[in-house]
Amino acid sequence: MKKNIAIIMGGYSSEYEISLKSGNVVYETLDKQKYNAYRIHIFENKWIYVNDDNIEFPVDKNDFSIIIHDKKITFDCVFNAIHGTPGEDGFMQAYLELLNIPHTSCGMYQAALTFNKRDCLSVLKPYGIKTAESYYINLGDAIDEDAIIKKVGLPCFVKANKAGSSFGISKVYKKEKLQQAIDFAFKEDDEIIIESFLDGTEVSVGVISYQGETKVLPITEIVSNNDFFDYEAKYLGESQEITPARISDTDANKVREIAKKVYEVLKMKGFSRSEYIFKNGEPHLLEINTVPGLTHASILPQQAAAAGISLSELFENAIEEALK
């Protein structure tokens, strides 16, 4: 019997367009001889199954089922391709876990924790994971620009705390530009994190659960043509992503060990991609993505290819791991 696989994509955040691309790559790649694949679009105003003729069928949220030609279809596994909320912050994980439906991403707690940059960094600090100096602000807090600059220095990064794909992020060089950057970040989230600028080589490390073991994929070096690895650099070709990274074996081993430690300390499952910057020879963690991009141009599939893992192997492994 072929398994019914729901590929969820879309979401409620600024990342929905990228998520639709990721989900469609998964749909096109999965072996239809092995799986019955269904594209499920998750939006705030509707949850729908979209067939190959772009006809929409509503999803019954009571049991996450669909009805096609009077036949009810339920799912053996959900392949999560939603970047941002509600697929990367724990909401979909909690919903699916309550319904007892296996899914390809990490657990609800891990998703919620890693999506909140400042909480995640705080949890990892006691394990010796190095991070940039940071300053936190909630919407409505008094803003003390002098205190911020004293803590993190200039230039600094102002980021939305719970947003992906470099939305709501600015690099600030002058005190006069700080408030503008804070206002911009608050458009994405009601919590922001301001971090010191780390001047060093930036790398991205994919860690996945593969054939029952934690596997660290080849490391990617990020060289942005822009001032930093912003949205244009990530998605519009304004960066070089070099796999394997041009770093020493010593540095590669260091960041591999730390990325694996982070994955295992947090009890992760499925895909993850974490970003690090080397400062004084030590990798400093920036953030962790638990539903990284899965398009042909995305970093994790590039890393998998460098490890000799095809897209179909990558995606089918995720499903088989979830079904165990």
Side-chain angles (χ1 to χ4, degrees):
M1 285 284 289
K2 287 198 284 186
K3 301 282 189 190
N4 290 340
I5 310 298
I7 304 161
I8 56 173
M9 59 188 91
Y12 306 164
S13 76
S14 307
E15 299 181 78
Y16 78 92
E17 289 182 13
I18 303 147
S19 170
L20 291 174
K21 287 180 184 174
S22 289
N24 278 308
V25 169
V26 176
Y27 177 72
E28 289 156 12
T29 304
L30 283 184
D31 185 348
K32 305 304 188 292
Q33 301 299 313
K34 288 186 185 177
Y35 305 107
N36 297 315
Y38 297 82
R39 292 179 299 173
I40 307 289
H41 290 194
I42 304 285
F43 294 117
E44 283 185 286
N45 61 339
K46 59 182 178 180
W47 290 22
I48 48 169
Y49 158 58
V50 181
N51 73 8
D52 288 340
D53 298 317
N54 284 322
I55 297 168
E56 300 180 357
F57 299 81
V59 173
D60 185 343
K61 293 183 186 178
N62 291 301
D63 59 359
F64 199 66
S65 65
I66 54 176
I67 293 176
I68 303 173
H69 307 310
D70 298 325
K71 184 186 175 188
K72 180 173 178 170
I73 294 168
T74 57
F75 300 102
D76 299 294
C77 180
V78 171
F79 194 110
N80 184 6
I82 298 177
H83 315 311
T85 190
E88 202 166 3
D89 55 4
F91 284 98
M92 288 304 297
Q93 288 85 349
Y95 167 76
L96 294 168
E97 284 160 23
L98 284 170
L99 291 175
N100 210 22
I101 301 173
H103 59 85
T104 58
S105 47
C106 60
M108 175 270 294
Y109 172 72
Q110 286 77 7
L113 177 64
T114 51
F115 198 69
N116 188 311
K117 295 182 184 77
R118 64 196 202 185
D119 287 2
C120 185
L121 297 176
S122 301
V123 165
L124 289 168
K125 217 166 194 174
Y127 292 92
I129 308 299
K130 293 180 171 59
T131 62
E133 282 289 341
S134 53
Y135 189 103
Y136 308 142
I137 307 174
N138 291 332
L139 188 62
D141 286 355
I143 292 162
D144 186 338
E145 293 181 353
D146 291 325
I148 293 167
I149 292 165
K150 185 178 179 185
K151 179 89 185 287
V152 302
L154 288 171
C156 64
F157 282 104
V158 180
K159 303 177 179 180
N161 186 43
K162 304 187 297 292
S165 292
S166 302
F167 288 108
I169 182 169
S170 307
K171 188 175 181 181
V172 177
Y173 289 88
K174 297 178 180 175
K175 179 181 172 181
E176 301 83 66
K177 297 287 187 182
L178 194 56
Q179 185 63 55
Q180 183 184 337
I182 289 168
D183 292 341
F184 179 60
F186 275 137
K187 286 179 182 172
E188 286 290 331
D189 191 17
D190 60 0
E191 300 172 357
I192 64 174
I193 178 170
I194 303 175
E195 292 181 328
S196 60
F197 169 59
L198 300 174
D199 191 9
T201 302
E202 181 170 353
V203 296
S204 185
V205 189
V207 185
I208 62 174
S209 178
Y210 193 73
Q211 296 178 352
E213 293 182 1
T214 302
K215 184 175 183 66
V216 183
L217 297 172
I219 300 160
T220 300
E221 180 183 349
I222 307 294
V223 183
S224 176
N225 300 342
N226 297 348
D227 197 18
F228 60 95
F229 195 44
D230 58 7
Y231 182 88
E232 285 76 17
K234 271 187 184 175
Y235 298 110
L236 303 179
E238 294 296 322
S239 68
Q240 297 172 63
E241 294 154 7
I242 301 159
T243 311
R246 301 167 301 180
I247 56 177
S248 69
D249 289 346
T250 304
D251 285 351
N253 287 333
K254 266 187 198 173
V255 78
R256 261 197 294 267
E257 280 179 25
I258 289 169
K260 186 169 190 269
K261 182 178 181 180
V262 165
Y263 190 93
E264 292 180 340
V265 159
L266 295 178
K267 298 181 179 171
M268 298 286 291
K269 290 190 300 184
F271 302 135
S272 79
R273 205 191 70 233
S274 46
E275 320 297 331
Y276 299 84
I277 288 182
F278 281 90
K279 182 187 176 187
N280 302 326
E282 294 297 328
H284 286 59
L285 175 65
L286 300 179
E287 64 177 13
I288 304 165
N289 301 286
T290 58
V291 187
L294 299 171
T295 69
H296 296 286
S298 299
I299 294 172
L300 191 89
Q302 288 179 37
Q303 294 176 339
I309 301 169
S310 69
L311 270 185
S312 59
E313 288 169 332
L314 184 70
F315 298 156
E316 287 180 20
N317 174 79
I319 291 167
E320 296 309 321
E321 294 269 302
L323 288 169
K324 281 180 182 174

